[in-house]
Amino acid sequence: MTTLVNSADSHVVEPLDLWVRRLPEHLRPRAPRIEEADGRWLFLVEGSPPRKMGASADADKENSATGFRAGGSDPDVRAQDLDEDGVWGEVLYPTIALFGFVIPDPELRWATARAYNDWLAETFTAASKRFAGAALIPVQEPDEAVREIERVARLGLRSVMLPMQAPADAPYNSDRYDPVWAAAQAHGMPVSFHVGTGANPVTERGGGGAVINYVEVGLGAQRTLAYLAASGVLERFPDLHVVMVECGAGWLSWLLERMDEAFEEHEQWVKPKLAEPPSFYVRRQGHVTFGNDAAGVVNRDFTGVEPLLWASDYPHPEGTWPHTQETLDRIFATVDPDERRRITYETTARLYGLEAPVGAST
Ligand code: MN
């Protein structure tokens, strides 16, 4: 029998002309857009290197340039794919807009973010309660970030996505972000940090680069979670939930021990003096998403079950679709069914409002 699950990390695939159509006219020539070069489609976002798209320029630009399944952009196709795979709800992250955080010009950056948030609300949010959209919220201008959080809350988006890598001049222990944490907390919107955002994820091009870069971007989750726990953000905003997305889970136990060791053994240098060790706040308010991470599941007695959120990463090829149920049966073969249900469904349902109707099955 199929057991309903929620995915805490899935992706939409934006129409390639989304920003060319939606940005204010004077910004359209600089919009994130697709262009052909040397027989391949390139996606151009100011501030990021050009990105090769999945297909060659011979392919139909509108339908297959990204190489992803149609459910990436069509809510109805997507719902059918979820039904086939036993997935009830999903937290939706972008694909192209992941690079929007690093657009240097504030006017273009905010116009890009607002256009994405509008499109997400008009398409997936409007189509079904099964889709919990994460809004793109740049953080370089905290006052503007608060205004956009208020706006997307009215549009029905259910999470706030900030860049994993904070701006260089303002790390996440800066109190300039307090209004951002307060706004997210007030609306009950989890704040998420997706792997590879806020900085160019390709830093090594020499030997081992593909593997090294994959490791490097994952380390960002450890840094961000340490900043939020050790600096007292989680203590000062006790109803705020923070989610490290697509970074796996096996590292979490190491981070908890490492932070607490510093907090206790280097006590004379520690400030602020939190009421509890840093691990306490992560176990209460921190979460990590994973798809197929045996170490993270094995370590649940140490980390607690609450931080663990399973995710499919649909429609990305490394995700579990259409084999989600087999994958879960394998990962959770020795796990208590109640714990499995919390990790694969209940915690995500509570954080993001992804409760399936009574009696729902797919
Ligand atoms: Mn993802």
Side-chain angles (χ1 to χ4, degrees), residues 99-260:
F99 302 104
F101 290 115
V102 295
I103 294 174
D105 173 29
E107 185 188 14
L108 182 63
R109 185 190 328 120
W110 278 107
T112 297
R114 286 189 206 101
Y116 171 74
N117 295 339
D118 285 342
W119 172 80
L120 185 63
E122 290 166 20
T123 53
F124 285 90
T125 302
S128 173
K129 290 189 185 335
R130 297 168 73 172
F131 302 127
L136 186 75
I137 306 288
V139 286
Q140 290 92 331
E141 298 82 19
D143 292 347
E144 193 60 43
V146 169
R147 274 193 290 277
E148 185 64 1
I149 291 170
E150 302 292 342
R151 196 182 77 89
V152 297
R154 289 193 296 273
L155 294 179
L157 299 185
R158 293 187 234 166
S159 175
V160 165
M161 178 177 50
L162 307 186
M164 180 67 84
Q165 177 66 50
D169 60 347
Y172 282 130
N173 56 359
S174 165
D175 59 10
R176 74 198 305 258
Y177 299 122
D178 280 7
V180 176
W181 313 132
Q185 177 178 259
H187 287 288
M189 297 170 98
V191 174
S192 55
F193 303 83
H194 194 282
V195 69
T197 54
N200 182 2
V202 180
T203 51
E204 178 55 63
R205 294 185 179 276
V211 175
I212 293 164
N213 290 330
Y214 200 70
V215 171
E216 284 281 348
V217 295
L219 296 177
Q222 304 180 35
R223 182 181 305 116
T224 296
L225 202 46
Y227 268 82
L228 297 171
S231 73
V233 170
L234 299 182
E235 182 183 60
R236 287 184 287 117
F237 297 92
D239 295 323
L240 180 71
H241 285 264
V242 297
V243 188
M244 304 298 135
V245 183
E246 209 179 315
C247 305
W251 51 270
L252 184 61
S253 40
W254 175 86
L255 180 72
L256 297 181
E257 290 207 294
R258 186 83 178 167
M259 290 194 300
D260 286 2

Side-chain angles (χ1 to χ4, degrees), residues 9-11 93-94 98 194-195 245-246 289 313 316 318:
D9 173 29
S10 294
H11 290 266
Y93 293 95
L98 290 172
H194 194 282
V195 69
V245 183
E246 209 179 315
T289 80
D313 210 27
H316 290 173
E318 68 271 32

Side-chain angles (χ1 to χ4, degrees), residues 13-174:
V13 181
E14 304 92 318
L16 298 173
D17 60 353
L18 189 155
W19 292 278
V20 174
R21 285 189 294 107
R22 287 181 179 246
L23 289 196
E25 200 138 0
H26 70 285
L27 293 174
R28 288 183 190 179
R30 298 166 57 204
R33 66 195 181 277
I34 189 167
E35 283 187 5
E36 188 189 338
D38 301 328
R40 294 198 61 111
W41 295 111
L42 292 179
F43 209 90
L44 305 176
V45 182
E46 283 192 11
S48 293
R51 308 231 157 233
K52 294 191 188 95
M53 306 299 285
S56 77
D58 297 334
D60 174 15
K61 174 177 158 184
E62 288 307 315
N63 294 321
S64 58
T66 63
F68 292 123
R69 288 187 61 76
S73 49
D74 183 325
D76 296 330
V77 173
R78 190 177 190 105
Q80 288 171 20
D81 278 355
L82 299 189
D83 287 347
E84 272 178 42
D85 207 23
V87 176
W88 166 254
E90 295 181 299
V91 184
L92 296 181
Y93 293 95
T95 296
I96 297 163
L98 290 172
F99 302 104
F101 290 115
V102 295
I103 294 174
D105 173 29
E107 185 188 14
L108 182 63
R109 185 190 328 120
W110 278 107
T112 297
R114 286 189 206 101
Y116 171 74
N117 295 339
D118 285 342
W119 172 80
L120 185 63
E122 290 166 20
T123 53
F124 285 90
T125 302
S128 173
K129 290 189 185 335
R130 297 168 73 172
F131 302 127
L136 186 75
I137 306 288
V139 286
Q140 290 92 331
E141 298 82 19
D143 292 347
E144 193 60 43
V146 169
R147 274 193 290 277
E148 185 64 1
I149 291 170
E150 302 292 342
R151 196 182 77 89
V152 297
R154 289 193 296 273
L155 294 179
L157 299 185
R158 293 187 234 166
S159 175
V160 165
M161 178 177 50
L162 307 186
M164 180 67 84
Q165 177 66 50
D169 60 347
Y172 282 130
N173 56 359
S174 165

Side-chain angles (χ1 to χ4, degrees), residues 4 6 88-89 128-130 341 345 349 353-362:
L4 279 186
N6 283 326
W88 166 254
S128 173
K129 290 189 185 335
R130 297 168 73 172
R341 188 171 159 80
Y345 175 77
L354 287 172
E355 304 277 2
V358 174
S361 64
T362 65

